[in-house]
Amino acid sequence: LCVFSSLQLVSLLLIGIAAWGIGFGLISSFRVVGVVIAVGVFLFFIALVGLIGAVKHHQVLLFFYMIILLLVFIVQFSVSCACLALNEEQQSQLLEVGWNNTNSARTDIERNLNCCGFRVFYPNETCASDCYRSRHCKPCAPIMEEYAGMVLRFVGGIGLFFSFTEILGVWLTYRYRNQKDPRANPSAFI
């Protein structure tokens, strides 16, 4: 049951962080928040399926939970390893692609980091930062690159930790699923 509660904890954590980001105005992109909340709700329902399957010793629900948890492990392990493997040049390229493809994230970054432009600040461009009024803004790329490595290592490490709890959950579910139901009639053929 502790594996189900750890998955529920992760799902509630995702939903809470998304709500916190919106509440404090750190994130204004509803697409990003929507995806994070959707993943949190999905994980919560998967944990609920596993919990119901464990309480009722329901073979189909446990099998479904085990397969979905294995797929979540594979995706999460892959993403965590990718976060930990990116070097500074790849991080910089990734940041530039993200900067060029999303206006809402660009606005959030400029406002929160008090910077304008990616590599170069052009005073004739619009900017959501407070420093824009004085026209003496730093470019955002160096500030973002300073935090990107730290954030990627943190996210990769946390993801790696929870991915191993998920593979433990797959193993425990497999073991529990193959046990005989203690409430069943001992003389019944299974």
Side-chain angles (χ1 to χ4, degrees), residues 107 110-116 127-133 137:
T107 303
E110 288 176 339
R111 188 181 69 240
N112 291 327
L113 297 180
N114 201 22
C115 59
C116 290
C127 180
S129 175
D130 290 336
C131 69
Y132 182 69
R133 293 185 195 115
C137 292

Side-chain angles (χ1 to χ4, degrees), residues 31-52:
R31 256 191 271 166
V32 171
V33 172
V35 167
V36 171
I37 289 175
V39 168
V41 168
F42 172 76
L43 288 177
F44 186 80
F45 282 125
I46 293 303
L48 199 59
V49 164
L51 187 63
I52 292 169

